């Protein structure tokens, strides 16, 4: 231990003397007693503050590495880091030099991230110092930096320490009336603190401060609040999200500052997505040979999907848990109170001027008795929260279903009680089923409670208004397009009619970045909407993207397989005629576009019949095999050698086009295709030995070493591993062995190496690709 302690002393001593040979050290006032093995005590003063800031900054950069060394040798030096290094790091947080403070902050966060600081040290040595640095009489810069450090370390130290030691001071800093920089830092990190401390502390302690920050007189603070609004919303219950945060967000959207409005509109879509029902994360999509009932395996509640006889889309039974802190009577009272709120507050309007309305709850006269209607009125306002179980909610079956809202004539004969018992076995909550009527149900209730406040939806739909680009943000349409799948998932396919026109407007936007954003996410939206809505509304837009700029086409190309697999087989076959168009690009140098096409064609093999593959995909693959860029060719070789593509009639074409190619790259490609055929068992080995192997073995005399290298790898690592050549003594086996012996005597060292050895860590495809990339 004495040697380790002297090491730290000598380290700082040498650092200081190297910069200031004539200056001494600022030693700490107290001496540390060190007990050597003999038991004798010696005073030892540790260096704390070298005079030159550069020395202190460089020392901080080395602290994480030294701490890791101490951790690895903890049995020998159990207290070295805690006793000597950590106090220096914490002390430098208040250093007069800005660079020293920055490096010490980075060192502290690195130590916390790597879990090199003991929990007791965090509580007794780190947090108290940070709290002290945020005192009212502290330096302004130091105080601001200390608040930022506390916010960043909160996710690392966990809920308990954050709630006990950081949260009280953080709440005080949110109200710092002297320095807006401190309030801005608090606002920027507000969401992280909320996610750490949880729902109860967020609603009781943090939300009042958040409301103050959202109305701060400095626009930068309000902008920071708008940027973290989604994270704050995720830490609250559905009732507060609906009745309080929504009104607060509308104020930010209407803020006098353009920068605040810009940030608010960018966060609008993510904020709306927080209203999504957690139980509906699993989406059902109709496919061939599947029944009309499906159960989401991702959801522990086993959401049941039921299709009616004439219903156009699936009916989803979404189990929810009740919120124990919100009583039914209080919810009804608050819901009624929203009708009397002034225009500045957000409420569910009785008469909305918007032509697009969310599908409402059924009218009172259709739901039965008063006892049955009350839970339905607030069912969508109360979403399940963390920590609530199935025992917190005890809804009745008639609260979920009624013939007026959920079934169209003629009414199918369905035993609802039996349907409910299929699935997870737990009772569904008070949300009720969502269906997709062709038009909104007539005679609907005046107050629409089934997904998000109407005012938020209206603001989101207005993001495609050309005036918004002038008054808010020129890229506001791009932000709208980016968050549209999340909004669509939140509203559900039964409310797609609210977004259909907006989606079509975005798809025809003049900015290619907007269309590109939609192109990259259209496959995700297809999963959300289902097969019928996809065929009706998304396929035409998808077809338009196929003829768009390359910057837009790459979006649909990268997810071509993901989208086509969702279509009916007849609709899917129509795109076979259009795949050839991907070979033509605006810029012929855009080889990555063709490489992506080759990758997608490999995935598309499973979606089409062998006849379709032979007629449509194989010609494209052979075209790509002759590409000027090696990366495109190597991917295409895999496609040509794949089982659905490869056939007996292709053998002669391979031999003529590649095996006897005058260019060495073609002959190398022939070897690679043969290797793929062997690995994927595209041909029986006896047939391969007769039809392809003689042409393959003749390449042992090829004049280009790269061809012989790949041949040696193929024979040694692939062909000889096949049982046909291991067990049967035939003329074919003898020919292979003679060829390998000849390659072992090759004049090229690489050829001899791969013919003589069998490197276990080497993959032939990787070696071949690296060889090709490095040579042509």
């Amino acid at each position: 231990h004495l040697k380790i302690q002297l090491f730290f002393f000598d380290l700082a001593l040498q650092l200081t003397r190297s910069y200031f040979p004539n200056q001494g050290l600022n030693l700490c006032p107290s001496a540390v007693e060190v007990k050597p093995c003999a038991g004798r005590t010696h005073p030892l003063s540790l260096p704390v503050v070298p005079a030159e800031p550069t020395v202190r900054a460089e020392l901080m950069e080395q602290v994480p590495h030294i701490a890791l060394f101490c951790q690895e040798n903890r049995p020998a030096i159990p207290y070295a880091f805690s006793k000597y290094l950590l106090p220096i790091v914490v002390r430098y947080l208040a250093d007069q030099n800005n660079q020293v403070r920055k490096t010490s902050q980075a060192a502290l966060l690195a130590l916390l991230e790597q879990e090199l600081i003991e929990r007791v040290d965090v509580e007794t040595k780190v947090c108290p110092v940070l709290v002290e640095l945020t005192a009212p009489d502290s330096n302004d810069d130091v105080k601001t930096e200390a608040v930022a450090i506390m916010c960043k370390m909160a996710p690392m130290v966990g809920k308990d320490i954050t709630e006990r030691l950081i949260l009280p001071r953080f709440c005080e800093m949110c109200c710092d009336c002297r320095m807006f920089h401190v309030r801005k830092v608090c606002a920027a990190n507000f969401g992280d603190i909320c996610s750490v401390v949880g729902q109860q502390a967020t609603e009781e302690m943090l939300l009042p401060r958040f409301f103050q920050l959202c109305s701060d007189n400095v626009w930068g603070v309000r902008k920071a609040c708008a940027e973290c609004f989604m994270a704050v919303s995720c830490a609250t219950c559905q009732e507060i999200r609906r009745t309080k945060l929504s009104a607060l967000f509308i104020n930010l959207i209407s803020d006098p500052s353009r920068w605040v409005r810009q940030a608010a509109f960018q966060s609008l879509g993510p904020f709306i997505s927080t209203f999504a029902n957690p139980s509906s994360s699993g989406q059902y999509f109709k496919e061939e040979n599947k029944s009309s009932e499906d159960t989401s395996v991702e959801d522990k509640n086993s959401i049941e999907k039921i299709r009616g006889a004439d219903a156009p889309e699936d009916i989803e039974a979404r189990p929810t848990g009740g919120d124990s802190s919100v009583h039914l009577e209080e919810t009804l009272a608050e819901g009624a109170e929203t009708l009397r709120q002034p225009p500045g507050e957000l409420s569910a309007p009785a008469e909305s001027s918007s032509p697009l309305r969310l599908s409402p709850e059924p009218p009172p006269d259709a739901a039965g008795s008063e006892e049955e209607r009350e839970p339905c009125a607030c069912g969508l306002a109360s979403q399940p929260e963390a920590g609530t179980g199935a025992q917190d909610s005890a809804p009745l079956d008639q609260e979920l279903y009624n013939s007026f809202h959920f079934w169209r004539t003629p009414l199918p004969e369905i035993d609802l009680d039996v349907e409910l018992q299929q699935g997870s076995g737990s009772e569904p909550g008070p949300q009720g089923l969502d269906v997709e009527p062709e038009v909104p149900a007539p005679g609907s209730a005046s107050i629409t409670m089934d997904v998000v406040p109407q005012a938020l939806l209206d603001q989101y739909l207005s993001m495609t208004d050309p005036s918004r680009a002038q008054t808010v943000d020129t890229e506001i349409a791009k932000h709208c397009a980016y968050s549209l799948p999340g909004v669509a998932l939140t509203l559900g396919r039964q409310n797609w009619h609210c977004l259909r026109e907006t989606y079509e407007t975005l798809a025809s936007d003049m900015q290619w970045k907007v269309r590109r954003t939609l192109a990259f996410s259209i496959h995700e939206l297809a999963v959300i909407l289902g097969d019928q809505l996809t065929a009706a509304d998304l396929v035409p837009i998808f077809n338009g993207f196929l003829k768009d700029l390359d910057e837009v086409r790459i979006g649909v190309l990268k997810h071509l397989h993901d989208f086509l697999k969702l279509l009916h087989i007849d609709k899917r076959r129509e795109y076979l005629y259009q795949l050839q168009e991907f070979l033509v690009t605006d810029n012929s140098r855009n080889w990555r576009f063709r490489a992506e096409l080759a990758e997608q064609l490999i995935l598309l093999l499973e979606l089409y019949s062998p006849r379709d593959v032979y007629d449509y995909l194989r010609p494209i693959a052979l075209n790509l095999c002759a590409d000027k860029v090696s990366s495109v060719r190597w991917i295409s070789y895999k496609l040509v050698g794949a089982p659905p593509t490869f056939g007996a009639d292709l053998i002669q074409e391979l031999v003529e086009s590649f095996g006897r190619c005058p260019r060495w790259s073609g002959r190398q490609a022939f070897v690679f295709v043969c290797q793929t055929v062997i690995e994927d068992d595209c041909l029986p080995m006896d047939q391969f030995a007769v039809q392809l192997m003689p042409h393959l073995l003749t390449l042992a005399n090829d004049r280009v070493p790269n061809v012989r290298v790949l041949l040696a790898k193929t024979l040694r690592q692939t062909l000889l591993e096949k049982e046909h050549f291991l067990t049967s003594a035939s003329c074919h086996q003898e020919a292979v062995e003679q060829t390998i012996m000849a390659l072992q005597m090759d004049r090229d060292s690489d050829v001899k190496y791969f013919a003589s050895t069998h490197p276990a860590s080497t993959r032939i495809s990787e070696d071949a690709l690296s060889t090709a990339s490095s040579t042509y």
Side-chain angles (χ1 to χ4, degrees):
H1 293 175
L2 178 61
K3 291 182 179 180
I4 297 298
Q5 293 163 359
L6 291 175
F7 164 76
F8 290 120
F9 176 82
D10 195 50
L11 172 66
L13 183 64
Q14 293 180 15
L15 284 172
T16 306
R17 286 180 176 174
S18 63
Y19 281 86
F20 302 98
N22 298 326
Q23 295 188 16
L25 296 174
N26 294 326
L27 301 178
C28 63
S30 60
V32 179
E33 292 188 352
V34 179
K35 296 182 179 181
C37 297
R40 300 174 60 183
T41 60
H42 299 275
L44 177 62
S45 298
L46 294 179
V48 176
V49 186
E52 173 58 34
T54 306
V55 179
R56 303 197 297 273
E58 292 188 3
L59 178 61
M60 286 299 98
E61 293 179 357
Q62 300 302 320
V63 163
H65 305 289
I66 301 176
L68 185 60
F69 170 81
C70 296
Q71 180 71 17
E72 294 172 351
N73 298 272
R74 187 175 177 83
I77 45 175
Y79 306 111
F81 171 74
S82 175
K83 187 174 294 185
Y84 303 118
L85 286 180
L86 184 59
I88 300 178
V89 175
V90 173
R91 181 170 298 185
Y92 282 2
L93 294 175
D95 196 273
Q96 295 180 354
N97 184 269
N98 178 63
Q99 184 63 25
V100 176
R101 293 199 307 271
K102 295 296 183 183
T103 53
S104 63
Q105 295 165 13
L108 178 60
L109 293 177
L111 294 171
L112 290 171
E113 185 177 5
Q114 300 177 30
E115 299 181 352
L116 296 176
I117 305 181
E118 297 291 338
R119 184 179 182 86
V120 62
D121 288 336
V122 174
E123 296 188 29
T124 60
K125 297 182 180 180
V126 179
C127 289
V129 172
L130 291 174
V131 172
E132 182 180 354
L133 294 178
T134 57
D137 57 345
S138 181
N139 178 274
D140 292 347
D141 293 337
V142 172
K143 180 192 295 186
T144 304
E145 294 169 358
V147 174
I149 288 294
M150 288 195 301
C151 296
K152 292 179 181 178
M153 66 182 289
M156 304 177 190
V157 300
K159 177 180 179 180
D160 179 58
I161 293 180
T162 301
E163 203 164 4
R164 288 190 294 106
L165 303 178
I166 296 178
L167 184 58
R169 181 51 60 92
F170 178 81
C171 293
E172 295 178 11
M173 295 296 98
C174 290
C175 304
D176 191 308
C177 58
R178 190 174 65 89
M179 288 190 61
F180 80 91
H181 294 288
V182 175
R183 302 196 304 274
K184 184 177 180 181
V185 171
C186 292
N189 297 275
F190 210 94
D192 294 335
I193 298 295
C194 291
S195 62
V196 172
V197 300
Q199 178 180 329
Q200 182 177 357
T202 296
E203 296 176 354
E204 294 178 358
M205 300 184 63
L206 291 175
L207 274 189
R209 275 76 179 180
F210 189 67
F211 273 75
Q212 295 176 6
L213 293 173
C214 286
S215 59
D216 197 276
N217 57 356
V218 178
W219 68 265
V221 178
R222 303 195 302 273
K223 178 176 178 291
C225 291
E227 293 171 344
C228 71
F229 214 94
M230 176 185 177
V232 176
S233 177
C234 289
T236 62
C237 68
Q238 188 80 321
E239 185 66 19
I240 291 180
R241 187 179 301 138
R242 181 179 302 277
T243 59
K244 296 182 179 180
L245 291 183
S246 297
L248 185 63
F249 193 85
I250 291 296
N251 291 336
L252 292 175
I253 283 183
S254 308
D255 195 271
S257 172
R258 176 171 180 168
W259 303 110
V260 179
R261 297 197 304 271
Q262 185 179 106
F265 272 108
Q266 291 182 19
S267 300
L268 177 56
F271 175 50
I272 290 178
S273 69
T274 63
F275 287 86
N277 185 352
S279 302
S280 63
S281 59
Q283 291 293 320
Y284 165 65
F285 199 98
K286 180 180 178 182
E287 295 182 4
E288 299 85 1
N289 302 324
K290 268 196 173 183
S291 63
S292 59
E293 296 181 14
D294 194 280
T295 302
S296 173
V297 296
E298 298 178 359
D299 186 11
K300 294 182 180 179
N301 292 324
S302 300
I303 308 167
E304 185 180 13
K305 312 289 175 107
I306 310 170
R307 178 180 293 276
D310 296 327
E313 292 299 329
D314 302 325
I315 303 173
E316 300 177 1
R318 302 177 181 174
T320 65
D323 189 351
S324 59
S325 63
V326 181
H327 296 287
L328 178 60
E329 294 78 10
E330 295 176 350
T331 306
L332 289 174
E334 292 176 4
E337 183 65 23
T338 57
L339 291 177
R340 299 189 291 272
Q341 292 178 349
E345 300 286 338
L346 178 68
S347 61
E351 298 293 338
S352 173
S353 59
S354 173
L356 298 175
R357 297 298 302 275
L358 300 177
S359 296
E361 289 293 321
D365 59 346
S369 62
E370 185 69 23
E371 291 77 13
E372 297 173 356
R373 293 198 304 266
E374 287 187 356
C376 285
C378 64
L380 292 181
S382 301
Q383 295 292 339
E385 303 298 333
T388 61
Q391 66 273 14
D392 295 332
S393 59
L396 300 176
D397 293 344
Q398 54 265 37
E399 296 169 6
L400 298 176
Y401 301 95
N402 60 79
S403 59
F404 177 86
H405 183 53
F406 295 105
W407 305 112
R408 298 181 298 163
T409 58
L411 298 178
E413 296 295 330
I414 295 181
D415 187 351
L416 298 181
D417 294 333
V418 174
E419 297 289 342
L420 283 175
Q421 293 172 2
Q422 300 175 359
S424 65
S426 60
E427 283 193 349
Q431 171 159 339
L433 295 181
D434 293 337
V435 295
E436 182 191 15
E438 293 181 353
V439 294
S444 60
S446 59
I447 302 179
T448 59
M449 301 293 288
D450 50 327
V451 186
V452 298
Q454 189 71 38
L456 288 179
L457 179 60
D458 293 340
Q459 292 290 346
Y460 179 79
L461 298 179
S462 72
M463 293 177 71
T464 57
D465 191 335
S467 63
R468 293 292 193 189
Q470 302 297 326
T471 60
V472 180
D473 186 3
T474 56
E475 293 191 347
I476 189 172
K478 179 183 176 182
H479 300 303
C480 180
Y482 182 82
S483 58
L484 194 140
V487 176
L489 177 63
T490 302
L491 298 182
R493 61 183 63 164
Q494 74 278 4
N495 288 310
W496 169 243
H497 62 275
C498 298
L499 296 175
R500 182 185 291 113
E501 184 178 351
T502 299
Y503 190 77
E504 293 173 353
T505 302
L506 293 172
S508 59
D509 195 280
M510 294 297 296
Q511 301 181 73
W512 63 266
K513 292 182 179 180
V514 177
R515 305 194 304 274
R516 173 186 169 94
T517 302
L518 294 181
F520 270 94
S521 63
I522 192 171
H523 66 290
E524 299 287 356
L525 189 60
V527 176
I528 297 171
L529 296 185
D531 55 336
Q532 295 189 15
L533 288 175
T534 295
D537 298 333
L538 296 189
V539 167
I541 294 177
F542 182 83
N543 294 337
F545 288 158
L546 292 178
K547 304 175 183 177
D548 212 312
L549 301 176
D550 286 353
E551 290 79 4
V552 179
R553 296 170 69 204
I554 189 63
V556 294
L557 178 59
K558 277 185 173 293
H559 302 284
L560 186 63
H561 169 264
D562 297 329
F563 185 83
L564 293 184
K565 72 178 182 181
L566 303 176
L567 303 181
H568 189 270
I569 186 171
D570 294 335
K571 178 66 68 173
R572 187 187 304 159
R573 291 192 74 254
E574 296 178 4
Y575 290 95
L576 286 171
Y577 307 94
Q578 304 182 45
L579 294 177
Q580 191 80 19
E581 299 177 3
F582 283 110
L583 292 174
V584 181
T585 57
D586 299 336
N587 184 1
S588 59
R589 296 182 179 179
N590 188 7
W591 63 268
R592 290 181 177 85
F593 194 95
R594 301 190 297 275
E596 185 61 42
L597 174 60
E599 294 280 6
Q600 288 295 316
L601 290 179
I602 295 176
L603 299 176
L604 291 177
L605 294 176
E606 66 180 19
L607 300 182
Y608 295 102
S609 66
R611 187 74 247 177
D612 290 336
V613 170
Y614 181 85
D615 292 340
Y616 298 100
L617 300 188
R618 192 178 68 163
I620 302 177
L622 294 176
N623 191 311
L624 293 172
C625 286
D627 197 89
K628 296 180 180 180
V629 180
S630 62
S631 297
V632 178
R633 294 197 301 270
W634 283 103
I635 300 174
S636 304
Y637 299 153
K638 297 179 183 178
L639 176 61
V640 171
T645 310
F646 187 84
D649 54 349
L650 186 62
I651 295 178
Q652 189 61 30
E653 187 174 355
L654 286 176
V655 174
E656 296 295 334
S657 301
F658 296 101
R660 299 171 181 172
C661 180
R663 297 182 58 188
W664 71 270
S665 59
R667 300 192 298 274
Q668 189 184 49
F670 176 76
V671 180
F672 185 79
V673 173
C674 289
Q675 179 259 329
T676 304
V677 171
I678 297 171
E679 287 186 339
D680 295 340
D681 294 324
C682 297
L683 278 177
M685 281 296 98
D686 54 351
Q687 186 178 352
F688 174 86
V690 174
Q691 296 181 339
L692 282 178
M693 197 173 68
H695 304 283
L696 183 65
L697 297 183
T698 57
L699 297 178
N701 299 321
D702 196 278
R703 63 182 182 276
V704 179
N706 282 359
V707 178
R708 303 197 303 274
V709 166
L710 186 56
L711 176 63
K713 295 176 184 178
T714 301
L715 297 180
R716 171 65 69 178
Q717 301 178 20
T718 304
L719 190 63
L720 289 184
E721 294 296 320
K722 290 295 181 180
E723 185 178 359
H724 177 80
F725 291 94
L726 292 177
T727 58
S728 62
S730 62
C731 59
H732 303 301
Q733 182 184 14
E734 183 179 355
V736 173
E737 292 177 350
Q738 290 179 355
T739 303
I740 292 179
M741 292 179 61
L743 293 173
Q744 291 174 354
M745 305 297 294
D746 196 275
R747 59 183 179 275
D748 186 88
S749 59
D750 291 333
V751 176
K752 290 192 294 186
Y753 171 77
F754 286 105
S756 303
T757 61
H758 187 181
S761 60
T762 304
R763 294 291 300 171
I764 183 169
S765 58
E766 297 174 358
D767 291 337
L769 182 59
S770 63
T771 302
S773 300
S774 62
T775 53
Y776 70 101

